[in-house]
Amino acid sequence: MDLIKDGWFMETNSLWPGMAMCLKVDEILAHVKSPYQDILVFKSTNHGNVLVLDGIIQFTEADEFSYHETMSHVSMNSHPAPRKVLIVGGGDGGVAREVLKHPEVEEVILCEIDEKVVEVCKKHFPSLTSSAFSNPKLKIIFADGLEFIRKNTNRFDVIITDSSDNVGVATPLFGEEYYKLMKSALATGGVACSQGECFWLHSEFIAKMVTLCRDIFPVVDFAVCSMPTYPSGEQGFLLCSLDPKTDFKIPVRKWGAKEVAEYNLRYYNSSVHSAALAPPEWFRSVLHGDHN
Ligand code: SPM
């Protein structure tokens, strides 16, 4: 795969046909093949260091906080007491960094399949990894996420699946079996949040996932955040709750100026939380199943 040409990294994929994100490369910092995927880290001229897995940008240092804060705080602040948290994927440490800001948290298990991702991110993304990976509440397990949750029942208050896209190594994390296993691994009233692709590009796929989840969980919703270096500039998150009373639009704990300062937030606050759950009209009909 020729990822870099004339000093530009170009991200093309059949998941976003007819478009490409290009970032100008300053320096290649790492390029290794793990047993699972091709891992590239480069320093870009304008967006900081960039993590690329199998040719797909996972994040840039310039906008990672949008993805990681939304995924973590929308799910965590939708649960009344999130003490035990499982992160599946997320070997870059971004979600762990955010989840560990919640004072209620007692234990976080990060289950990452690819040890090499953790190793590379420790070296090149200290702003994501350093606080989280030195926190005694965090335990990293190198294992297949689906196999790990299969062995756990009634254990976690929140499960966050921070996977790469629905191709290659992450595909099982988008299937019915995985969602049923998550339901069993969640404790009473548990909340699950998964990387949910992009509503501009994958609305049919999202509608299918929402239907699948509604057969398993009493409450299902979808949040979005702005991600300027992702195709179409948006990222979605699929949210499920075992508690029929959960309303994802209304955070259980309100985070305003005090928490923004205390937790060094750059994207999330309670207004952003509710806005993330307010779909545009055309997508609302997709979510409610009355699309053609
Ligand atoms: N911790 C960050 C991991 C990011 N996971 C990938 C999310 C999928 C985004 N899809 C589009 C990516 C295109 N660059």
Side-chain angles (χ1 to χ4, degrees):
M1 208 180 341
D2 198 3
L3 299 174
I4 299 171
K5 257 194 193 152
D6 302 327
W8 287 82
F9 169 84
M10 183 162 75
E11 180 193 58
T12 54
N13 196 282
S14 56
L15 284 172
W16 38 91
M19 68 194 325
M21 167 54 70
C22 291
L23 293 173
K24 197 158 199 304
V25 178
D26 189 9
E27 186 189 350
I28 294 173
L29 300 173
H31 196 181
V32 288
K33 273 203 196 308
S34 77
Y36 302 98
Q37 54 206 339
D38 180 278
I39 305 171
L40 167 70
V41 180
F42 67 88
K43 181 178 170 211
S44 67
T45 54
N46 296 71
H47 296 80
N49 292 353
V50 183
L51 176 68
V52 179
L53 299 180
D54 281 341
I56 298 180
I57 295 171
Q58 299 303 300
F59 59 82
T60 78
E61 284 182 315
D63 59 5
E64 56 83 10
F65 61 91
S66 173
Y67 178 99
H68 291 127
E69 288 184 22
T70 306
M71 182 173 228
S72 307
H73 305 314
V74 168
S75 53
M76 294 289 287
N77 281 338
S78 296
H79 190 287
R83 296 193 181 94
K84 313 259 180 220
V85 180
L86 170 65
I87 302 166
V88 174
D92 51 69
V95 169
R97 177 191 68 197
E98 296 305 318
V99 161
L100 284 160
K101 290 175 179 173
H102 290 254
E104 301 84 2
V105 167
E106 291 165 2
E107 177 190 37
V108 179
I109 293 185
L110 192 160
C111 177
E112 165 64 57
I113 198 167
D114 195 342
E115 205 163 345
K116 206 75 189 160
V117 169
V118 172
E119 184 190 315
V120 166
C121 290
K122 270 186 182 168
K123 182 160 181 207
H124 297 291
F125 299 97
S127 63
L128 279 82
T129 58
S130 59
S131 64
F133 289 1
S134 60
N135 190 316
K137 291 180 185 174
L138 181 80
K139 184 172 176 200
I140 302 181
I141 291 175
F142 294 108
D144 179 298
L146 196 134
E147 295 313 318
F148 179 77
I149 55 166
R150 200 191 291 287
K151 295 181 200 131
N152 287 276
T153 312
N154 195 22
R155 177 166 177 192
F156 299 105
D157 300 309
V158 176
I159 300 178
I160 300 179
T161 306
D162 180 19
S163 70
S164 43
D165 288 304
N166 185 24
V167 280
V169 70
T171 308
L173 304 179
F174 292 84
E176 186 177 356
E177 186 189 8
Y178 182 69
Y179 277 82
K180 286 186 169 159
L181 288 170
M182 276 205 289
K183 181 182 185 176
S184 316
L186 283 168
T188 306
V191 163
C193 174
S194 299
Q195 189 273 94
E197 303 296 4
C198 170
F199 68 44
W200 291 111
L201 297 163
H202 312 116
S203 60
E204 275 179 33
F205 173 72
I206 294 167
K208 202 182 90 193
M209 291 301 296
V210 168
T211 305
L212 182 156
C213 290
R214 287 204 174 119
D215 284 342
I216 301 171
F217 292 89
V219 181
V220 178
D221 216 325
F222 196 83
V224 295
C225 76
S226 164
M227 274 300 281
T229 59
Y230 278 3
S232 296
E234 293 267 350
Q235 173 64 39
F237 304 97
L238 192 51
L239 293 155
C240 304
S241 175
L242 285 177
D243 181 352
K245 291 199 281 304
T246 301
D247 182 352
F248 282 111
K249 292 171 184 62
I250 302 170
V252 180
R253 286 168 298 283
K254 306 262 185 267
W255 280 11
K258 177 178 161 284
E259 289 80 9
V260 166
E262 187 177 346
Y263 302 139
N264 189 25
L265 300 174
R266 288 179 286 167
Y267 191 86
Y268 179 90
N269 60 40
S270 290
S271 307
V272 168
H273 180 130
S274 298
L277 271 291
E281 274 310 313
W282 71 269
F283 185 63
R284 198 173 59 81
S285 63
V286 173
L287 283 181
H288 290 276
D290 49 355
H291 60 295
N292 296 318

